[in-house]
Structures are given as C-alpha cells and as structure tokens.
Amino acid sequence: MSPPPDTHFYASTYTDPHTGDVSALSELPLDLQAITASVRDDGAGAICSFTGTTRDSFEGKRVLRLSYESYTPLCLKTFSTTLLRARSRWPDLKKLALHHRLGNVPVGEASIVVAVSSAHRRASFEACEWVLEEVKREAQVWKREEYAEEGEGVWKENFGRGMERGVVRGDRVGEKGGRT
C-alpha cells in the first residue's frame, strides 16, 4: 500500500545488526502478512503472532479511534532491548518483529503486531505474549481513546487499574505492570 502523492507519513525502523530483529513505529497501516513473513526461518517449527486491533467499544462507550504518540528514539531502543531480553529468556527463538502504529488507528485496524519464530511452539507462544506485555509496561507509547459520546478523547494507561494479566513464564504481571 502506497501513501497518496504529497502526503507525508512518519515511519522509523531499527534492525538489530546481530540478530536481524526488527522494531518499527509507523503512521501507515501495519502489513500483517509482511510482518509475519519477516520472521520465517527454515529452522523454525513455529511462528506465533499477536495483532492488537482497535475495538468499537469500551465500558459501554462507542470508540471512534485510538491515537498513539511516541518518543520514537527511546521507544525503538526499548523495543530492541525487549526483543534481546526475550532472546535471553528463550534461547531457541529464531526471528522477532515488533511493529507499533502511531497516529490515528480506526476501529478494526491493527495497533501493534508482535511476531516470533522459534524451533518449538511453546517458546514462540510464551515469547510473543511476554514481548507484548513488556511493551505495554515499558515502551514510550501513549494511547488516547476517542469516543462518540465525548468531545475529547481520554489518555489511557497501558495497564489500567484493576486489570490483571496472566502468568507468563513464571512471572505474574499485576496492576499497572508491576510484578507480583
């Protein structure tokens, strides 16, 4: 998909020179197939991906769109560090990709894609979820929900009050991303 002429879109990508892992921020729609294909590896027996999309409602309010902002240089560094940390936790990972959308994301479109390949499925599943939770806890990305019922949007926390996360490789992530 190409942007229309005379339209400027922001995108920034970092590819780790040692691992080939890709971290990206973009105002363009995320290409789910291309991101998943980017982690294919002949030594991989599994590819796991997660796509977070904008849903149409939250707590009874109609959501029009999400809007994301980022401190890009630090965010890409955080993404890259997160992927390296995943590699240290699951040594048989082959390739990783982490892409996050910036700007306005309409209902039904992807905000984030995490894709992981590994020799075996368990590592792929666990690492994919762990990367997502670490990004929500650590990354310098801010989300604003815009509702049909309100004139202005609401800035949201990545780990909101009362939200509980599941167990990921023995680490329980609790309220506001704190380890419990």
Side-chain angles (χ1 to χ4, degrees):
M1 171 188 293
S2 297
D6 299 322
T7 304
H8 299 284
F9 289 96
Y10 172 80
S12 187
T13 302
Y14 173 74
T15 302
D16 186 290
H18 304 290
T19 65
D21 295 343
V22 176
S23 302
L25 294 165
S26 177
E27 289 181 346
L28 293 171
L30 302 178
D31 186 338
L32 311 179
Q33 289 181 327
I35 295 166
T36 302
S38 76
V39 300
R40 292 194 191 289
D41 185 276
D42 289 343
I47 294 175
C48 183
S49 65
F50 172 83
T51 303
T53 60
T54 302
R55 63 179 172 259
D56 65 357
S57 63
F58 180 75
E59 295 182 348
K61 294 183 254 182
R62 191 167 64 101
V63 175
L64 298 175
R65 73 185 77 57
L66 298 179
S67 180
Y68 292 92
E69 293 184 12
S70 169
Y71 177 50
T72 299
L74 186 55
C75 186
L76 287 175
K77 184 175 181 177
T78 300
F79 282 7
S80 179
T81 300
T82 300
L83 297 180
L84 285 172
R85 288 174 48 220
R87 285 185 169 282
S88 71
R89 293 173 70 106
W90 294 276
D92 69 342
L93 297 182
K94 301 298 181 185
K95 294 182 180 177
L96 296 97
L98 171 54
H99 293 245
H100 204 298
R101 180 97 175 259
L102 297 177
N104 291 327
V105 182
V107 169
E109 290 191 15
S111 298
I112 186 169
V113 177
V114 179
V116 178
S117 64
S118 64
H120 304 284
R121 69 179 177 268
R122 173 164 279 185
S124 186
F125 277 119
E126 290 178 352
C128 188
E129 183 179 18
W130 184 86
V131 167
L132 174 69
E133 298 301 338
E134 287 298 296
V135 165
K136 290 177 69 75
R137 191 170 73 80
E138 298 289 336
Q140 297 74 22
V141 176
W142 300 279
K143 175 173 78 173
R144 181 179 171 95
E145 264 184 11
E146 297 181 29
Y147 307 108
E149 294 83 3
E150 299 175 16
E152 292 187 26
V154 176
W155 290 101
K156 306 295 277 191
E157 293 182 55
N158 282 334
F159 281 99
R161 193 177 15 167
M163 295 176 77
E164 184 132 347
R165 301 292 179 205
V167 175
V168 180
R169 180 107 181 204
D171 289 341
R172 187 162 176 211
V173 181
E175 188 175 310
K176 293 192 182 180
R179 300 274 176 207
T180 57

